[in-house]
Each structure stands twice: as C-alpha cells, then as structure tokens.
Amino acid sequence: QMQRTGFTLIELVVVIAVVMIVTGTSLPRLTELSQSYSAYQEKKRWLQLFSFARASAALENSLVTLCPLQANRCADDMHQEWALFTDSNRNKKLDPDEKILRVLLPKAETRFGYYNLGQPYFRFGDIRGDNTYLGMASGFTLCPLGELDKTAYHMTINILGRAKLHSRRNDQQQPMRFSHQRWQMARCDR
C-alpha cells in the first residue's frame, strides 16, 4: 500500500482561514503601532532641532533664529521648511552674512498650534548681552498625524532655551497647555 504525503484540500483551507483571521485581527494594531512610531520620530526630530538651536547659539557665539523660512524671511506658513540660522541683527531674515545651521521639513500631515501673535519663530542666544545664553519663552502644539489625538503634544521653550514636552491631557487624551494661570485645550489649526 502506498503512503500519502502532503496536505489534503481541507487541511490547506483550514490553515489559510486561520492565517487570514490572525492577519485580519492584527492588522489594525500594526497600523496603529506604525502611526505611533511615526509620530514618535517626528517628536524626536523637533526636540533634537530645539536642542541643536540652543547649543548652536553658544557654539556660534551668535543669536540664532528658528522659523519657517520662505524667500530668506521668517514666514507664517508653518508647513514651510524650518531653518535655524544665525541672526545677529535680529531681523528674522537670512542676510548674506548669516548662515543656515540646520533645516527641518515638517512631514506633510503634520499640523501645528502656535499661540503667539505674528510669525512663528524662536530665538536663542546672548539676548541680553551678558554672555547668558537664553531662549525665547514660547510654545507650540505639534500634531504629527494631523489630528489633536494621543500622538499630539504641546512643547514649550523656557527662558533658558530648553524644550519641554507637556504630558497633561484631557479625558479624550488630547494635549493641554498652561496659559494665563490655567490649563487650556491645545489646538492644531495651522
């Protein structure tokens, strides 16, 4: 009598069905994991940029400005390429004698919340002229996936130029920001 090797059609169909069920149930989780990692990477890029800006002011012994740059001027459009550049005359403009130190292009889906009036910019350096390297106290909200969701966060830059992420969130896991002596809802509208 001849011995059979291989699988029957029923066995093969059962295995394929099990693989499809496992894949179908794990796919949403893998997508969420991928989005979380992408948001984490974007947050990390921005934190590194602000840390570099603070260090560059001291290393260059100059005022440096970080802003979305368009036609060598700080622009309102936060989706433009952000440039960190020496800005010795504080005019928020890249002059011929000044240099770009680093550039960051926000991801296409990233949205922002900026709370100061005027153009979004941050300045670092010896602002007072006494060799104390400071930052410009300010902040913004970054929504790496374009939504005010659990991947969004609010970041402030303190007077010493250090970037800090705020972890306070509301019941829907949306970031909060501290302003006018109270916690308020952050936004991503730019």
Side-chain angles (χ1 to χ4, degrees):
Q1 188 173 20
M2 201 160 119
Q3 199 167 23
R4 255 184 30 194
T5 60
F7 302 103
T8 65
L9 183 59
I10 292 175
E11 290 171 332
L12 193 57
V13 168
V14 168
V15 168
I16 291 172
V18 168
V19 168
M20 289 177 64
I21 290 169
V22 169
T23 302
T25 57
S26 64
L27 196 58
R29 180 68 183 133
L30 288 175
T31 302
E32 183 182 325
L33 202 59
S34 173
Q35 288 176 335
S36 292
Y37 181 73
S38 176
Y40 168 78
Q41 288 298 102
E42 185 73 349
K43 173 178 72 172
K44 188 172 151 184
R45 285 184 343 131
W46 283 93
L47 282 172
Q48 287 172 341
L49 181 63
F50 280 101
S51 293
F52 184 78
R54 183 174 183 261
S56 294
L59 290 172
E60 294 288 328
N61 195 25
S62 173
L63 287 174
V64 296
T65 296
L66 173 64
C67 67
L69 201 61
Q70 185 175 22
N72 289 339
R73 295 180 181 273
C74 287
D76 291 330
D77 184 2
M78 296 180 80
H79 294 95
Q80 290 290 322
E81 188 173 75
W82 281 67
L84 174 67
F85 59 95
T86 57
D87 192 16
S88 56
N89 57 6
R90 299 178 180 201
N91 66 353
K92 297 188 281 181
K93 177 181 162 192
L94 181 62
D95 296 317
D97 61 329
E98 297 169 338
K99 64 181 177 178
I100 291 181
L101 303 171
R102 184 161 288 176
V103 172
L104 184 141
L105 181 62
K107 291 174 30 181
E109 63 270 17
T110 299
R111 306 266 306 156
F112 299 89
Y114 186 72
Y115 306 96
N116 295 342
L117 297 175
Q119 296 168 328
Y121 78 98
F122 299 89
R123 183 169 286 141
F124 302 84
D126 185 8
I127 296 167
R128 300 185 303 210
D130 63 358
N131 292 324
T132 304
Y133 287 88
L134 302 173
M136 186 181 97
S138 189
F140 72 104
T141 303
L142 186 69
C143 297
L145 301 178
E147 299 292 327
L148 197 60
D149 60 11
K150 66 182 180 180
T151 64
Y153 61 91
H154 185 71
M155 184 186 334
T156 56
I157 311 306
N158 69 17
I159 194 68
L160 297 176
R162 291 189 176 105
K164 178 182 179 184
L165 293 177
H166 293 276
S167 58
R168 178 163 265 192
R169 295 187 174 273
N170 64 13
D171 294 338
Q172 289 80 37
Q173 295 304 303
Q174 297 167 324
M176 304 290 286
R177 66 185 189 94
F178 194 75
S179 180
H180 304 296
Q181 305 300 317
R182 64 187 175 95
W183 287 98
Q184 298 179 19
M185 180 72 167
R187 64 179 195 260
C188 277
D189 54 1
R190 291 180 86 167

